[in-house]
Amino acid sequence: MPLYRDQGVVLRTQKLGEADRIITLLTRERGKVRVAAKGVRRTKSRFGARLEPAMHVDLQCYEGRSLDSVTQAETLAPWGDQLARRYESWTSACAVLETADRLTEERETAVQQYHLLCGALRSLAAQAHDPALVLDAYLVRALAVAGWAASFHDCAQCGDEGPHRAFHVAHGGVLCRTCRVPGASAPAPETLSLLAALLVGDWVVADA
């Protein structure tokens, strides 16, 4: 059975048998993978703590018939431990991890999503910005990478230069007066400016 190495972030875990776990990770090279970690629930496990949600690890696995198995795990960044110390950071991180899980498919390369996930968890762990803002920035950017990029300035339908006030999710973002549809909302201009800043990573505007 061939061995392989990869780096990944633990998205979630689930119990398997009496002492094992199934670990779901978003990896740099192989996309989302599910691997069996044998014996990690035992107190004497060599790498049980390294395979907890939000941990960034370097893995060695061997391919199995239905489920690959972890043979080595080295910590690259203990984000999970750092995030668990602050409630606000941990709750934001949990939402980030769940979103990454939902926006990726097993065995499909997702390099941009991987780097975006690492950036969000690194920022939360370092307390670089308000955790709620980091979460919002991650959400709008992850959706954009997945193909659902919203427009917060120019009209999403005709491209007319903004700013515009009407906003409609199903139509892709802000709409001009000509393209406005029934049911469109009218967020405050500051809200749209904040969303636009979060989408492009303009933290000077977002932090203000």
Side-chain angles (χ1 to χ4, degrees):
M1 298 181 181
L3 289 170
Y4 65 87
R5 295 194 72 92
D6 206 344
Q7 296 180 3
V9 176
V10 179
L11 300 179
R12 58 187 171 90
T13 67
Q14 61 189 98
K15 293 180 180 179
L16 178 66
E18 294 184 358
D20 307 337
R21 278 198 179 112
I22 295 176
I23 313 295
T24 302
L25 306 102
L26 182 59
T27 66
R28 185 174 61 183
E29 303 294 336
R30 293 172 175 254
K32 186 166 68 176
V33 298
R34 296 170 70 247
V35 297
K38 296 183 178 179
V40 293
R41 290 162 56 198
R42 296 194 179 101
T43 55
K44 295 183 179 180
S45 171
R46 292 176 301 158
F47 45 73
R50 302 171 192 171
L51 297 176
E52 293 292 336
M55 296 294 281
H56 190 206
V57 293
D58 182 275
L59 294 172
Q60 178 174 283
C61 305
Y62 69 84
E63 296 181 355
R65 292 182 179 179
S66 58
L67 198 64
D68 299 350
S69 296
V70 180
T71 58
Q72 293 181 11
E74 299 295 334
T75 302
L76 297 175
W79 293 326
D81 177 62
Q82 296 165 5
L83 292 166
R85 300 173 188 272
R86 294 180 69 235
Y87 177 78
E88 296 82 359
S89 297
W90 179 247
T91 54
S92 293
C94 288
V96 167
L97 295 172
E98 183 176 352
T99 301
D101 190 11
R102 290 177 177 270
L103 290 181
T104 53
E105 298 291 337
E106 286 192 38
R107 301 292 180 176
E108 290 189 9
T109 304
V111 178
Q112 285 183 287
Q113 293 286 5
Y114 168 77
H115 287 298
L116 193 61
L117 172 63
C118 290
L121 295 178
R122 185 183 299 112
S123 180
L124 287 169
Q127 302 180 33
H129 307 282
D130 183 282
L133 282 182
V134 175
L135 171 58
D136 291 343
Y138 171 78
L139 291 174
V140 295
R141 298 176 79 175
L143 286 170
V145 169
W148 295 293
S151 174
F152 301 115
H153 189 268
D154 299 337
C155 179
Q157 292 297 296
C158 69
D160 183 50
E161 185 176 354
H164 301 294
R165 289 295 309 279
F167 186 87
H168 197 266
V169 172
H171 283 73
V174 295
L175 301 173
C176 65
R177 292 184 178 181
T178 302
C179 298
R180 181 169 183 163
V181 296
S185 60
E190 294 80 7
T191 299
L192 295 175
S193 296
L194 174 59
L195 287 168
L198 294 175
L199 180 61
V200 299
D202 187 345
W203 284 102
V204 174
V205 173
D207 287 335

